[in-house]
Amino acid sequence: MGTKRIGLARVQALIENLKRELQLNQSTLKGGLRKFQTKTANYTCTADDSGTTILVNPAATTLIQLPGVADVGTGWNITIVIDEQDGGTMDQKVNIGTKSGDFFNGFLIASDGGGSVKADPSSNDFITCSTNSTCGEVFNIINDGTYMHVTGNIVDATDTLFADAAG
């Protein structure tokens, strides 16, 4: 028996299609970049968006629709940043919504001294960012298998809220 040589393209294809965990014991990965998207209008997230940072600079009232908890694997995650690119407050509303029947769990920490906003995991299926919300607010969302779990940094606890309906 001889040895079989395979080309680089074949090795890359085999690694890319790997359907199991890959142990990288104390390895260092260099040069990795996070996936990044900019949205100015409504957008429906997919399973492939996991690990993506979405910068939302809305041209009109905008909905970022998350996939269903059961439609993506536990650990699916996304970071959403609202941005007006001129600083200050938002010119348009941004809503982040779960799939019908799914809800948010978690909290938003406000820097205005107003405390924090806690989700009601039995009814809150939206995060609403009003036109008084502040550019740069960040929401880290992860599917924990039951809820879309959120931790977020906001400026004013009265302008950015968990809600039962879009703003």
Side-chain angles (χ1 to χ4, degrees):
M1 273 203 209
T3 59
K4 262 185 151 180
R5 292 181 50 129
I6 60 174
L8 178 60
R10 178 70 178 136
V11 171
Q12 285 176 325
L14 290 170
I15 291 172
E16 289 171 356
N17 291 317
L18 195 60
K19 301 291 185 212
R20 63 181 183 87
E21 289 184 13
L22 182 61
Q23 287 288 353
L24 299 173
N25 298 328
Q26 297 188 8
S27 296
T28 301
L29 300 176
K30 294 185 178 183
L33 300 174
R34 290 185 70 166
K35 296 186 286 183
F36 183 83
Q37 298 180 35
T38 300
K39 301 297 176 190
T40 59
N42 293 347
Y43 179 70
T44 300
C45 298
T46 67
D48 289 339
D49 288 326
S50 185
T52 300
T53 297
I54 297 179
L55 184 70
V56 184
N57 182 7
T61 297
T62 299
L63 171 64
I64 303 298
Q65 181 67 53
L66 303 177
V69 169
D71 299 334
V72 293
T74 299
W76 181 93
N77 65 91
I78 199 160
T79 299
I80 298 173
V81 180
I82 61 169
D83 184 45
E84 199 54 51
Q85 307 226 347
D86 60 3
T89 59
M90 300 298 292
D91 293 337
Q92 302 291 332
K93 296 178 183 178
V94 175
N95 295 290
I96 303 167
T98 62
K99 182 178 178 181
S100 180
D102 289 345
F103 301 103
F104 284 115
N105 194 8
F107 61 94
L108 307 175
I109 300 169
S111 64
D112 68 349
S116 61
V117 181
K118 185 175 180 273
D120 179 346
S122 66
S123 68
N124 292 156
D125 50 2
F126 285 93
I127 298 170
T128 60
C129 305
S130 74
T131 55
N132 292 322
S133 294
T134 305
C135 173
E137 294 183 356
V138 178
F139 309 93
N140 295 300
I141 303 169
I142 187 167
N143 176 10
D144 70 5
T146 304
Y147 302 103
M148 286 297 183
H149 189 85
V150 179
T151 54
N153 297 315
I154 62 174
V155 173
D156 191 323
T158 60
D159 298 331
T160 304
L161 301 166
F162 287 103
D164 296 346

